[in-house]
Every structure is written in structure tokens, then in C-alpha cells.
Amino acid sequence: MEQTITEKILGDHLVEGELTPGEEIGIEIDQVLTQDTTGTMVWLQFEALEMDEIQTELAAQYCDHQTYQFDFKNTDDHRFLRSAAGTYGAYFSRPGNGICHQVHKENFAAPGKTLLGSDSHTPTPGGLGQLAIGAGGLDIAVAMGGGPYYVEMPEVVNVHLEGELPEWATAKDVALHLLGELTVKGGVGKIFEYTGPGAEKLSIPERTTITNLGTELGATSSIFATDEKTRDWLARQDREGEYVDLQPDDDAKYAETVEVDLNELEPLVAAPSMPDNVAPVSEYEGTDVEQVIVGSCTNGAYEDILPSAKMLEDREVAKQTEMIVAPGSKQASEMLAREGWTAEMMAAGVNFSEATCGACIGIGHVPASDSVSLRTFNRNFEGRSGIEDDSVFLCSPEVATAAAITGEIVDPRDLADELSELEAPGLEMGTKYGPGMGEDDSDIISPDEAIDDGLVKGPNIGDVPLKDGIDVDGGEALLKMKDNITTDHIIPATADILKFRSNIEKLSEFTLSRVDDTFAERALAADRGVLVAGENYGQGSSREHAALCPMYLGIEAVFAQSFARIHKANLFNFGIVPLAIDEETYERIDQGDDIEIVDDVPAGVSSGQKEFAVSVNGEWEFTADLDASERERDILAAGGKLSWVKRQHADGGSGAAPADD
Ligand code: MIC
Ligand code: SF4
């Protein structure tokens, strides 16, 4: 049968199920990645599963989100992560070496392989033909132990690109255009496969910007075919041998096709505070800008920053504006520095940061109150920058730099008209990538180089809370929330809170504080309760803490109109029942209502019951749906995935070991 690229890679890795959209499949994972803010739980869970060695071909631990180490707790986390990587056999990328997606792309991403990562932007190396998926930490721990990864077989969508990007339009604008058209829910249950003559013209850094932003569409993953550009890019990283030719078959069947004519794209922005709030830059022209940041896992490559450097040559950052450049990796920083571009940018007034996520989640460079910040990042959820009423625009490095030069939002095409000598920088690939690559990289400690002296746990590294079985009958609707509640609302990632990622008891005090700062206290006092939400509950990051902390506070079920993919899996993994409700029911429920699930939930979960009768204040009833596979039901019945895997071990089952073909 004629196949898409996705079907080919999934077919090669399939250990359970069939490639029918909507059906659950189990796939073998070749590579895993984890980072500092989700990694501590991954390794604590790996330890709790009593694993002694990594079973995947490769595992890599990055220290990238909080590298400033403001607090010993962060430094303790990094030390623990290094000890875990050494103990169990993972590569360890030192703090400051760069953002996981960028560094993984440079060093390990390989076409045709599967990658599972405890970060939602794991699909980034899809631009190199790798099938990469983001998941919760517990799923990573199990995959690292050799267990298959289970996911609903997505629909494969063909994004057919025609034409060529005009001057000043960039790969970021391709992704923003799609977000504007399809919204942050548009990709749920889908993989986007980019094809057509327009796709062939894009370089690898441009492709990976697009696959990175596929996450904001809610997509399971995004992928490009491989070609000479892929081979050339791998060769630049000294990894040409890993090239694999990957093309969709001529008559491959896609669930739908989205056409994009690159010639028609123009510079765009995502206005505050959602990545799909997209408009042409010209709509906001003249808006004062106090801060500009270029970098992140979306636009942090050498090729993303070079246009900014070129635009700033012989120019200055406007006096009323601060410009920060935070490259995505040390490789990018080093290349810019060796070629003199860093000095040029510094002379123009740029504040150069180390290669870190930092500002993307409100760690450093928090915008001033009542100010506009333009960032080349992928998320502008309200409050994520570290200040509640923020006003963050997302855009390309070109649009960001044009604003830095003028101090206000300006269409770079208009600026070029005004400044006759300002030319569109276009794309220029680096000449020398390195110097350190792969195992020779001084900032990556290979499993062989590790000084393996067991796990080193500081006082902030807590235990993984375990739940045994489910005992769900409802409780007070402790919070009613709107559509598109992000995991940044559920567990913010700003510096003051992030340091408790390894200490669930403490972290849970901040649960849903961005929606209602009395929530955690009320939930603890109530002992048990439920949450109510609109569409796309839990969108955004993969952080399992957004399920773990509510579980710790006694949340038994979430009633929502729909759920984001990774978060729904995390709810199952921590024994919280995700129940779907319709809009009418959502409108009728009030915060504070007494929600009693009339049916016996443990029995219904185990017997495959799909609809559950629910009574509100003993006055009216509705039906809520449990859309779960048999495996997800077993996980719920066990009280969560950790207990489920442990039970399987005790029963002599396959546990985290791979299922037989
Ligand atoms: C994000 O961009 O929100 C993060 C921080 O990278 C998260 C991971 C986390 O919460 O630790 C993600 O995208 O999964
Ligand atoms: Fe880091 Fe931001 Fe990318 Fe998340 S989205 S991995 S915080 S740079």
C-alpha cells in the first residue's frame, strides 16, 4: 500500500495495534530526551520502576530551562540529573550548552528514527525527517526502560507548500500563518507532513522552526521528507552517515491537504496572548516596544540569529528599547562569536545571554509593567513571561530586529523603504559548525565518560507520590475555567515556582494559582474535588506536574469539553479521570456545585463503560464520556501508570520491557 512518511516510520516501529487513525498504537522508541525541569521526575520514576539501565539506543539529558541556578535547588537538580545520566547510561548536556531541541538536533537527531521527549517541542527534529513526539515524564521513563510508547494513531495531514518565500517573509511566518488559519486546537490528533516544491526550497533550520511550532497547533508531530539539504546539514554536523532517504509514496493517502502558497506570505505577528492570535505586522505598526528578544528553541539557530546581526550592522538598538539575544545552543553562540557577529551585536547595544530557555518561561528578562515585548519564541500565554498582565508578541527575528532598531513595531519592508541601505538578510548557512560535535563535544558527557557514583539527591529532591487504585465519586467543583487553559495556568514555570519541580508537596501549593490563588488551599481543605473546564484543557507544555499536583491535592476527575493530547495522557498516568462534557453542560455547571458521579467509577472504568451519569447538587443530571483505550482504563484502575507498571512487574508481565512483535 502507498504510504506517507509518518506511516512508514510508524510501521517500522509498530509493536502493537494497526495504523488506523483514532486507534491506539504502541511504538518502539529509539531515542529519548529529557530536560532539567521535567527530568528529575523522569529519573525518580525510572528509579521507582527499579530499572538499572537505559534500554533505548540513546537517551540524552539536557540542562537548559533554568541554567542561571538562582537557587541551590536548581543546582541540586542539575547535579542529580548528571548523576542519574551517569548511573543509568544517558548522555548529559551541561547547563549552558543549550536548549534540548536545538542541541539534540545538532548532535543526535536522525532521520527515520523515533524520538520521545519530556518536552512538548520534541517534534523539532521532524525538520530532519525524525518522527519525534512530546510526552509526559512517566511515559519517557517507561520508554527508557524499553516499554513501547502508546499514542492514538493520528490522522496524517499534508501541508503542501508551493512557491518561495518573498523577501522579509520567513519560516516563522509559515508557522504563524498556519496558526492563524487552523488555531491552537487545529492539530489535535494530527501529524503534519510538509511536502511540495516550497518545502524542498526550505533549509533545515527553516524546516525545524516550522516543526517546532507544530506543537502550538496541538499536533502530535510534524515532519518533512529528507533530501540533499538534509544530507548536507548532517554533513555539516559531521554526521552524514546518519542520512536516510525518506519520501512519501506517490499516491500516499492523506486525511486532508492544506495548501500554502509561500509567495503570498508576509511578515506576521501573534499578538497577546495566544500563538494563534495572528495578524500582519502592519496592523500593529507604531506600537511602542520596550523589549525585544531573539532566541529560543524556535528561532535560536545560528541561521536565525545571523539576520538580526546583519540588520544591526552599523546600526543601533533604539534608546527606549532593550534587545536581548539568547542563542538556542552553545554551538550557535560559538559560531556567532568566532565570526565576530557577537561583538557587532554587542556594539549595537544587544545584551547577550547564555544559551538557555530562561526568558521564555519568565526566568530572567521579565518585561516591565505595562510594556510590550516582541519575542521570536513560540508561546505568549498570559503571564508566562513572568508578569501577569504582559503583552508579548511572537514574530520572526527580522520583525523583532526591525522593532529593536526603531523602538516600535514596524513592518520590516517599510523600514527597508525608509533606510535605503537596509537589505533583506535572507538565509545564509554557516560555514563551520562546531568545533565540538557529538561525542567529542566537551559540553556533552557521554555515558562512557560519566563518573558514575550513584544518584546524588539534595534536600529538595522529594519522592514520587504514588496512588494505589481509584476511588472516585466526585466532590465539589472547586474551579470552573474557560477554554484553552494552558499547563502554564495549572503549574506556572516562573523562577520562583520552577525550583520546586522535584518537590511535589511544595509545588502543589502553586496549583492553578494563575487562575485562582486560593485554589490549592481550598482543594487541600476539601480533601477531594473535581475541576471543570472548556475546550482544549491542558494545552501547551508536557509538564506532568500539571496532573501530579492536582492529584496530590485530591482532584479525582476533570470535566472538560475537550483535552489537549499530552495532558490527557498525563491525567491517566496519575489516576485522574478525564471526562468529556458538552457545551450545554459546561454552561450549566457552576463553581461550588456538588458533583456526584452516580455510577460506580472503578467498576465502570474496568468494564469499558463509556458514559457516566453525574448528579449536580442532587438537582439535575448529565452524562459525561470517558474516551479511553483498554490500556488507559487499566492504568486508571491501578491508580496511575507507575502503580500499573509496578503491578505488571509483580505479576511477571512485560512492564517496561518491549512488547513482542
Ligand atoms: C514550555 O515550553 O512550556 C516548557 C517549559 O519547555 C515545557 C516543559 C516544562 O514544563 O518543563 C514543555 O514545553 O513541555
Ligand atoms: Fe525552552 Fe521555551 Fe522551547 Fe519550552 S518553548 S523548550 S521553555 S525555549
Side-chain angles (χ1 to χ4, degrees):
M1 207 183 89
E2 305 298 296
Q3 286 188 311
T4 61
I5 306 168
T6 304
E7 287 165 335
K8 288 183 185 183
I9 303 180
L10 287 177
D12 283 349
H13 291 82
L14 197 66
V15 290
E16 252 178 85
E18 282 173 24
L19 302 182
T20 314
E23 299 287 307
E24 189 176 79
I25 53 169
I27 54 169
E28 195 186 337
I29 296 300
D30 300 323
Q31 302 185 344
V32 300
L33 75 75
T34 176
Q35 38 92 336
D36 49 354
T37 59
T38 52
T40 49
M41 274 299 139
V42 170
W43 295 111
L44 289 171
Q45 286 157 347
F46 197 71
E47 184 192 23
L49 290 170
E50 292 163 35
M51 297 287 161
D52 32 70
E53 213 178 13
I54 284 156
Q55 303 295 319
T56 45
E57 283 174 19
L58 180 135
Q61 169 67 57
Y62 298 92
C63 288
D64 50 357
H65 282 64
Q66 170 44 309
T67 58
Y68 300 119
Q69 304 173 330
F70 296 137
D71 188 300
F72 80 89
K73 298 181 189 69
N74 302 124
T75 330
D76 274 11
D77 278 357
H78 291 162
R79 184 178 58 183
F80 169 67
L81 295 171
R82 194 185 53 216
S83 73
T87 304
Y88 295 120
Y91 285 84
F92 178 73
S93 172
R94 287 176 160 153
N97 192 35
I99 304 173
C100 54
H101 311 302
Q102 185 66 25
V103 183
H104 199 85
K105 177 176 97 178
E106 291 162 359
N107 291 277
F108 304 116
K113 301 263 184 203
T114 52
L115 164 70
L116 195 70
S118 63
D119 192 283
S120 64
H121 293 101
T122 299
T124 308
L128 276 171
Q130 174 156 53
L131 191 77
I133 303 179
L138 188 43
D139 287 326
I140 308 303
V142 171
M144 231 158 38
Y149 174 62
Y150 293 93
V151 63
E152 208 171 84
M153 175 63 197
E155 284 186 341
V156 187
V157 176
N158 178 8
V159 186
H160 187 256
L161 306 182
E162 282 290 340
E164 202 170 348
L165 284 168
E167 276 193 348
W168 296 107
T170 66
K172 185 65 165 274
D173 301 306
V174 179
L176 290 177
H177 166 78
L178 287 170
L179 272 157
E181 295 290 306
L182 306 174
T183 82
V184 289
K185 302 194 287 275
V188 177
K190 296 176 182 171
I191 288 189
F192 290 91
E193 227 172 271
Y194 289 82
T195 67
E200 285 166 22
K201 293 215 175 71
L202 297 172
S203 67
I204 298 304
E206 290 174 305
R207 292 179 193 176
T208 52
T209 292
I210 295 173
T211 46
N212 174 286
L213 272 152
T215 298
E216 264 41 74
L217 292 162
T220 304
S221 193
S222 305
I223 196 162
F224 279 76
T226 58
D227 55 17
E228 279 316 303
K229 289 205 164 74
T230 323
R231 189 199 293 278
D232 170 69
W233 195 86
L234 285 167
R236 286 164 187 268
Q237 300 289 345
D238 215 12
R239 301 199 289 120
E240 194 178 352
E242 290 170 41
Y243 179 77
V244 174
D245 187 46
L246 274 173
Q247 309 297 326
D249 291 329
D250 285 345
D251 292 323
K253 298 246 167 332
Y254 290 96
E256 64 184 284
T257 298
V258 177
E259 300 282 354
V260 181
D261 183 353
L262 299 182
N263 294 310
E264 284 178 11
L265 294 184
E266 58 174 324
L268 299 169
V269 288
S273 290
M274 220 16 102
D276 61 2
N277 193 11
V278 173
V281 177
S282 50
E283 258 185 46
Y284 291 91
E285 225 158 7
T287 309
D288 288 342
V289 175
E290 287 193 24
Q291 185 191 57
V292 166
I293 313 186
V294 174
S296 90
C297 62
T298 314
N299 279 126
Y302 166 84
E303 291 79 4
D304 293 310
I305 298 167
L306 189 58
S308 292
K310 288 183 178 172
M311 286 173 72
L312 285 170
E313 239 185 327
D314 301 323
R315 293 197 180 81
E316 270 184 12
V317 173
K319 298 287 179 242
Q320 66 272 36
T321 307
E322 271 180 34
M323 179 169 179
I324 297 117
V325 170
S329 68
K330 206 181 238 185
Q331 183 183 93
S333 296
E334 227 176 288
M335 287 166 71
L336 291 162
R338 284 176 192 274
E339 290 172 6
W341 290 111
T342 308
E344 290 282 348
M345 284 189 276
M346 283 177 160
V350 166
N351 174 4
F352 229 80
S353 153
E354 66 177 82
T356 176
C357 296
C360 184
I361 40 171
I363 299 171
H365 304 298
V366 176
S369 53
D370 286 328
S371 72
V372 167
S373 173
L374 240 70
R375 300 171 166 209
T376 66
F377 299 177
N378 46 30
R379 290 185 172 151
N380 59 347
F381 304 145
E382 61 188 344
R384 181 173 159 102
S385 68
I387 173 165
E388 282 314 314
D389 294 316
D390 55 5
S391 193
V392 175
F393 287 75
L394 307 175
C395 62
S396 66
E398 282 82 344
V399 171
T401 313
I405 293 169
T406 57
E408 56 185 43
I409 296 182
V410 58
D411 186 323
R413 294 170 300 183
D414 294 344
L415 188 65
D417 285 346
E418 208 181 294
L419 309 175
S420 54
E421 72 294 6
L422 178 66
E423 283 174 19
L427 180 109
E428 185 185 323
M429 299 293 287
T431 46
K432 187 175 185 318
Y433 291 71
M437 283 172 266
E439 296 198 31
D440 300 321
D441 194 324
S442 59
D443 274 307
I444 294 187
I445 302 173
S446 75
D448 296 340
E449 292 165 324
I451 309 159
D452 172 3
D453 48 8
L455 300 179
V456 184
K457 294 182 184 173
N460 187 46
I461 312 266
D463 292 324
V464 184
L466 255 185
K467 196 168 153 183
D468 202 15
I470 44 165
D471 173 20
V472 177
D473 42 21
E476 185 185 333
L478 289 165
L479 202 57
K480 181 174 174 182
M481 295 165 277
K482 56 185 183 174
D483 289 349
N484 293 327
I485 287 292
T486 70
T487 51
D488 279 297
H489 288 103
I490 308 174
I491 280 292
T494 43
D496 48 337
I497 301 177
L498 195 77
K499 62 188 179 204
F500 299 117
R501 281 281 180 101
S502 318
N503 181 343
I504 300 306
E505 185 182 347
K506 182 71 193 156
L507 188 69
S508 60
E509 289 174 16
F510 300 93
T511 311
L512 285 160
S513 55
R514 200 161 266 161
V515 182
D516 174 353
D517 59 11
T518 67
F519 173 77
E521 219 176 298
R522 291 192 293 111
L524 267 184
D527 204 32
R528 68 195 184 93
V530 303
L531 296 172
V532 179
E535 299 274 10
N536 203 20
Y537 179 69
Q539 74 151 320
S541 104
S542 67
R543 67 191 71 140
E544 60 191 347
H545 304 78
L548 198 42
C549 292
M551 172 202 109
Y552 183 81
L553 294 175
I555 295 301
E556 298 187 342
V558 180
F559 294 90
Q561 283 176 254
S562 65
F563 296 88
R565 177 186 67 87
I566 305 180
H567 187 61
K568 187 172 174 193
N570 285 336
L571 290 174
F572 284 122
N573 284 353
F574 293 99
I576 298 179
V577 191
L579 290 163
I581 52 174
D582 60 22
E583 194 180 347
E584 198 190 327
T585 307
Y586 169 79
E587 295 297 344
R588 260 187 103 179
I589 301 176
D590 287 322
Q591 186 164 314
D593 279 351
D594 182 26
I595 310 276
E596 189 203 339
I597 307 178
V598 183
D599 294 317
D600 179 342
V601 179
V605 163
S606 301
S607 68
Q609 188 175 331
K610 289 198 168 68
E611 293 182 350
F612 289 79
V614 185
S615 160
V616 182
N617 300 327
E619 289 163 4
W620 60 278
E621 281 201 6
F622 67 87
T623 305
D625 296 341
L626 177 62
D627 175 17
S629 68
E630 209 179 307
R631 189 191 54 88
E632 285 163 338
R633 287 171 182 274
D634 288 348
I635 289 175
L636 267 187
K641 192 162 182 171
L642 207 50
S643 311
W644 178 70
V645 177
K646 275 175 161 270
R647 278 187 201 181
Q648 285 201 322
H649 280 179
D651 295 347
S654 61
D660 293 330
D661 279 3

